[in-house]
Amino acid sequence: MSLKDRIAADAPVFLNPGEFAEEIVYTAGGGVPKTIQAMVVRYELSPTEENVYRSLKKQAEIFISRDEVTGIAAVNKKDDRITLKDTEGINQEARINDVISGDEGMWHLLVGW
């Protein structure tokens, strides 16, 4: 078994809500919202790139399955939106700031709101 096969096989472990994952809502540009499992790593407030030290932006890294059934097959940074809970448990709509990586098993996204 190759490393790529092992990563794809291990994805359900990380996306298990009893282990690391939580539910988020992924809305493809103009599409229907889809509830999926994701591993979310939230960041503290940080200055935005354009307005350093003047405004703050909340960010999170999200790991989701790269699968049409249990996750998302394709990511569109411009039009897709993600709804997730912030550190206080309030639902926030986030934009995809960057696709950090995407292998055969998982997407690794940086989102902000």
Side-chain angles (χ1 to χ4, degrees):
M1 180 178 273
S2 71
L3 178 60
K4 289 181 182 182
D5 294 334
R6 176 48 57 196
I7 290 171
D10 286 345
V13 173
F14 292 103
L15 299 177
N16 178 347
E19 299 292 336
F20 302 105
E22 61 188 76
E23 284 188 345
I24 64 167
V25 177
Y26 193 102
T27 306
V32 178
K34 180 179 182 181
T35 301
I36 59 174
Q37 298 297 323
M39 190 169 69
V40 180
V41 180
R42 292 168 182 84
Y43 292 140
E44 297 294 323
L45 289 173
S46 62
T48 60
E49 295 170 11
E50 303 83 32
N51 242 346
V52 177
Y53 304 116
R54 293 187 182 205
S55 63
L56 298 175
K57 182 177 187 176
K58 292 188 178 184
Q59 293 184 319
E61 287 185 40
I62 296 181
F63 297 85
I64 58 176
S65 175
R66 187 175 189 160
D67 179 79
E68 196 167 320
V69 176
T70 61
I72 302 300
V75 171
N76 180 334
K77 283 177 38 175
K78 180 180 173 233
D79 296 326
D80 294 358
R81 300 290 181 267
I82 295 172
T83 304
L84 68 150
K85 294 193 183 303
D86 63 13
T87 54
E88 286 126 22
I90 300 168
N91 280 335
Q92 300 289 342
E93 184 178 273
R95 295 180 59 104
I96 299 171
N97 294 338
D98 196 13
V99 177
I100 297 171
S101 68
D103 57 34
E104 285 78 14
M106 305 270 282
W107 288 107
H108 182 189
L109 308 174
L110 178 65
V111 300
W113 63 94

